[in-house]
């Protein structure tokens, strides 16, 4: 498969919470999630998509295995990081209705990022730079 097709698969798997697929694409195909971004103008990474849709397993795996950098990966237009994306995600704290194959929990993503001191609620987005 072409590299672009693999990138799209990784983005889709992260958004759907398919951790096994994310692992296979990263480990077997050597994809680097930090450098893969959506082509829709928002330039979302697998980490940001997983956070937005509440997939704590994918978020945790990407960060703890150094496949994503939560301090530098931000939404291109608004500057949201993974914590902002989880907090603003659809259906905060419940199944988001995104037709994913796993249950979503945005609150678990928020807790993982804050409790492990990965990101802090006072981190700023582009709307609140001070």
């Amino acid at each position: 498969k072409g590299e672009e097709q693999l990138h799209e698969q990784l983005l889709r798997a992260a958004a759907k919470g398919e951790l096994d697929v994310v692992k296979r694409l990263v480990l077997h195909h050597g994809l680097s999630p930090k450098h893969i971004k959506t082509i829709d103008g928002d330039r979302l990474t697998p980490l940001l998509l997983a956070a937005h849709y509440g997939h704590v397993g994918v978020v945790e795996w990407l960060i703890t295995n150094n496949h994503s950098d939560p301090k530098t990966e931000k939404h291109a237009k608004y500057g949201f990081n993974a914590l902002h994306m989880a907090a603003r995600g659809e259906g905060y704290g419940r199944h988001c209705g995104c037709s994913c194959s796993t249950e979503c929990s945005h609150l678990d993503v928020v807790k993982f990022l804050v409790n492990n001191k990965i990101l802090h609620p006072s981190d700023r987005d582009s709307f609140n730079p001070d």
Side-chain angles (χ1 to χ4, degrees):
K1 294 183 180 181
E3 192 170 325
E4 187 175 314
Q5 212 174 12
L6 292 172
H7 290 186
E8 288 176 20
Q9 284 181 4
L10 178 57
L11 291 164
R12 197 168 31 255
K16 289 182 174 185
E18 298 173 342
L19 181 56
D20 290 341
V21 176
V22 170
K23 286 180 178 180
R24 179 177 47 80
L25 290 167
V26 172
L27 299 175
H28 180 69
H29 293 285
L31 299 181
S32 175
K34 311 182 202 194
H35 304 293
I36 297 173
K37 296 174 175 55
T38 59
I39 55 172
D40 61 4
D42 289 333
R43 295 194 293 271
L44 298 174
T45 64
L47 173 65
L48 296 177
L49 286 168
H52 177 71
Y53 289 110
H55 301 301
V56 69
V58 174
V59 169
E60 184 175 352
W61 186 82
L62 288 170
I63 292 171
T64 58
N65 289 284
N66 297 315
H67 295 299
S68 288
D69 183 357
K71 301 265 186 218
T72 62
E73 292 181 41
K74 296 188 177 191
H75 184 287
K77 185 175 181 182
Y78 302 112
F80 299 152
N81 62 30
L83 182 58
H84 301 131
M85 296 296 286
R88 296 171 191 267
E90 299 171 6
Y92 183 78
R94 66 187 197 293
H95 188 316
C96 66
C98 64
S99 61
C100 29
S101 58
T102 59
E103 199 70 11
C104 305
S105 179
H106 298 84
L107 185 57
D108 287 345
V109 174
V110 170
K111 286 179 180 178
F112 169 75
L113 295 170
V114 173
N115 292 345
N116 290 290
K117 297 179 170 75
I118 295 166
L119 292 170
H120 190 271
S122 66
D123 291 342
R124 301 296 183 185
D125 58 33
S126 296
F127 293 117
N128 303 299
D130 297 327

